[in-house]
């Protein structure tokens, strides 16, 4: 689960390839996801976006929380919080916070991004250490990446099989190269009704967690919001699925197929 939840937080708010002319989100957007591990209703994850000011810079502040519930929490207790502060005008991350407890595996860290010096400072509060990383203007953190992609890529210019790459920094492992492949359109049945979705394949590292490099699949609504509808993962042991459970404060109309 150490590698699964960070990816789910990214994918849970990764309705990529939004239209440049129409913003995909606004202050107050809130999303909730129900995550299943096999037959168990394993956990819930929420994302909440608000407007703030950080060192005189207008930013969006996103708080993502994930927590196991019910029977699943007996076997594997998860209590995760992710936060990102990114520029309202340029989408650049300025601060990223990660506090997690996943079955006793804990992290408490903060990353501050300085684009004048092209350096990010990672402070590990748990171990009392600090690391510096070289960065460029297009780097993103785990959470800011999704909102950046929503407003800066146009799906009309994409064809099936085309991929997009993005450099992210969210851990002491250093820069992470994220890749996402577009697979086309598909209609899903959801608790809200039938929704036309855009289908994507995030490429991950196969091995101890994921069965294969293409073990993750993501569906997002084919409207101006581009909110996630479903995420599926084939794991080395079992399978995982996350579905949109509730939403509030969307900037644009959520399109449901009524017939």
């Amino acid at each position: 689960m150490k590698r699964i939840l960070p990816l789910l937080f990214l994918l849970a708010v990764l309705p990529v390839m939004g239209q440049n002319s129409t913003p995909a989100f606004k202050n107050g957007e809130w999303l909730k996801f129900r995550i299943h591990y096999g037959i168990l209703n394993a956990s819930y994850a929420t994302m909440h976006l608000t407007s703030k000011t950080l060192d005189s810079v207008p930013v969006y502040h996103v708080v993502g929380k994930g927590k196991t519930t019910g029977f699943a929490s007996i076997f594997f207790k998860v209590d995760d919080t992710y936060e990102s502060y990114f520029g309202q005008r340029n989408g650049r991350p300025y601060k990223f916070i990660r506090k997690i407890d996943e079955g006793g595996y804990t992290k408490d860290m903060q990353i501050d991004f300085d684009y004048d010096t092209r350096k990010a400072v990672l402070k590990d509060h748990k171990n009392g250490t600090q690391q510096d990383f070289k960065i460029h203007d297009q780097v993103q953190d785990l959470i800011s990446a999704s909102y950046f992609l929503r407003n800066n890529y146009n799906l009309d210019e994409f064809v099936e099989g085309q991929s997009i790459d993005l450099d992210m920094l969210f851990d002491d492992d250093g820069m992470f190269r994220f890749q996402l492949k577009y697979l086309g359109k598909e209609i899903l049945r959801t608790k809200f009704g039938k929704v036309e979705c855009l289908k994507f394949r995030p490429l991950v590292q196969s091995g101890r967690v994921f069965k294969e490099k293409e073990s993750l699949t993501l569906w997002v609504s084919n409207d101006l919001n581009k909110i996630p509808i479903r995420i599926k993962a084939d794991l080395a042991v079992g399978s995982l699925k996350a579905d949109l459970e509730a939403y509030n404060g969307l900037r644009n109309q959520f399109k449901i197929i009524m017939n």
Side-chain angles (χ1 to χ4, degrees):
M1 295 290 281
K2 296 176 186 177
R3 292 296 180 188
I4 297 170
L5 280 177
L7 283 171
L8 285 179
F9 267 112
L10 170 64
L11 298 177
V13 287
L14 194 55
V16 297
M17 321 308 181
Q19 301 290 336
N20 291 347
S21 58
T22 304
F25 52 86
K26 67 177 182 178
N27 176 41
E29 181 184 84
W30 177 83
L31 304 173
K32 181 179 180 180
F33 302 89
R34 183 172 56 182
I35 302 172
H36 300 267
Y37 181 72
I39 63 173
L40 297 177
N41 179 21
S43 62
Y44 287 94
T46 60
M47 302 295 301
H48 189 207
L49 174 78
T50 57
S51 296
K52 290 190 177 180
T53 300
L54 181 68
D55 297 329
S56 302
V57 177
V59 297
Y60 285 114
H61 178 211
V62 182
V63 178
K65 292 182 176 291
K67 193 170 185 177
T68 48
T69 59
F71 192 66
S73 62
I74 299 175
F75 298 97
F76 195 88
K77 188 174 182 180
V78 173
D79 189 357
D80 290 357
T81 298
Y82 292 82
E83 297 183 54
S84 177
Y85 297 79
F86 62 92
Q88 293 185 17
R89 298 187 181 93
N90 55 29
R92 294 177 183 173
Y94 290 95
K95 179 186 292 187
F96 175 72
I97 298 171
R98 183 182 180 191
K99 296 182 179 180
I100 66 171
D101 186 344
E102 299 172 1
Y105 174 82
T106 62
K107 283 198 173 187
D108 183 359
M109 59 178 55
Q110 175 179 315
I111 303 176
D112 295 295
F113 297 82
D114 188 330
Y115 299 97
D116 292 332
T117 61
R118 291 185 176 273
K119 182 175 70 174
V121 179
L122 186 153
K123 297 177 182 178
D124 187 333
H125 299 301
K126 174 184 174 181
N127 298 311
T129 60
Q130 179 174 305
Q131 290 179 262
D132 295 347
F133 296 94
K134 291 182 179 179
I135 60 172
H136 52 74
D137 289 343
Q138 298 301 313
V139 69
Q140 295 290 323
D141 67 39
L142 184 69
I143 302 300
S144 68
S146 56
Y147 296 93
F148 176 80
L149 289 170
R150 289 171 74 175
N151 273 345
N152 287 276
Y153 286 86
N154 190 339
L155 184 63
D156 293 337
E157 301 171 359
F158 273 66
V159 296
E160 291 186 27
Q162 187 171 349
S163 298
I164 182 171
D165 296 337
L166 190 65
D167 285 332
M168 294 193 296
L169 178 63
F170 62 89
D171 204 348
D172 52 12
D173 292 335
M175 204 77 76
F176 172 73
R177 189 69 170 176
F178 181 74
Q179 188 177 50
L180 196 71
K181 182 167 66 174
Y182 174 57
L183 301 182
K185 298 178 182 178
E186 185 176 339
I187 295 177
L188 294 184
R189 293 184 180 273
T190 75
K191 64 173 293 184
F192 310 104
K194 292 190 293 185
V195 180
E196 183 177 74
C197 297
L198 307 171
K199 188 176 180 180
F200 298 94
R201 178 66 44 77
L203 301 182
V204 296
Q205 184 177 3
S206 61
R208 186 166 56 87
V209 175
F210 297 100
K211 279 186 177 180
E212 300 175 355
K213 187 177 181 181
E214 298 191 358
S215 292
L216 274 170
T217 308
L218 164 69
W219 291 263
V220 302
S221 61
N222 187 20
D223 55 22
L224 294 176
N225 299 297
K226 302 295 189 294
I227 57 175
I229 302 300
R230 179 170 296 159
I231 303 163
K232 292 183 70 175
D234 294 322
L235 310 178
V237 179
S239 62
L240 185 145
K241 184 175 77 168
D243 286 305
L244 181 66
E245 175 74 9
Y247 62 88
N248 196 12
L250 300 182
R251 185 177 189 100
N252 306 290
Q253 181 181 1
F254 182 29
K255 291 187 178 180
I256 305 294
I257 300 174
M258 303 305 296
N259 56 11

